Amino acid sequence: MRDRITYFALAAVLVVYFVLAGGRGIALIGQGTAVTVALGLSVLVMPLIGVWFLCQTTKFARDADRLAAELESEGGLPPDELVRSPSGRIDRDSADAVFTRRKTEAEGAPEDWRVWFRLAVAYRDARDTPRARKAMQRAIALHDGRPVRA
């Protein structure tokens, strides 16, 4: 729940920034000179990219939550079998051992979105965010019947 609150708070801050930056861009365009119009258009590009990125990230999070809910209803969420320090930090060797098992499962069933979901969780636990995201994108694509990117 804390992650959702953080996400929505940051998204709200970004939306405020987009509105402020967009307003500045429109004001520059309103000046009407070649230089200010060029600057205004360039200022508008960043909020547009930001809105696109925010939409993509939100869609990804919703899709991952949808898969997690379905997997939970099936009783297929991976159990938390990681060794943690007293502060709650995941032990690296423990995460690597779980990751190795999950990777073997994914290699054995490359078309099963469930094993890719569990592999994404293992990547995240091993602190490999880029690969966790790619594995989750693959799980989502497999679940939704879309073509899977290599």
Side-chain angles (χ1 to χ4, degrees), residues 12-31:
V13 168
L14 280 173
V15 168
V16 169
Y17 163 75
F18 298 153
V19 168
L20 292 174
R24 290 290 180 186
I26 290 169
L28 284 169
I29 292 170
Q31 293 292 317

Side-chain angles (χ1 to χ4, degrees), residues 8 23 28 41-42 46 51 63 71 82 89 113 118 121 132:
F8 286 115
L28 284 169
L41 290 173
S42 64
M46 289 309 288
V51 166
D63 289 344
L71 202 55
L82 299 169
R89 191 167 184 92
W113 68 267
R118 289 189 283 267
V121 172

Side-chain angles (χ1 to χ4, degrees), residues 59-99:
K59 182 182 179 321
F60 175 77
R62 275 195 336 251
D63 289 344
D65 282 349
R66 178 173 46 91
L67 266 59
E70 185 173 333
L71 202 55
E72 182 178 31
S73 72
E74 297 174 354
L77 279 180
D80 187 3
E81 51 194 331
L82 299 169
V83 175
R84 298 180 190 275
S85 69
S87 66
R89 191 167 184 92
I90 295 171
D91 176 66
R92 181 73 177 182
D93 293 334
S94 173
D96 288 344
V98 171
F99 167 77

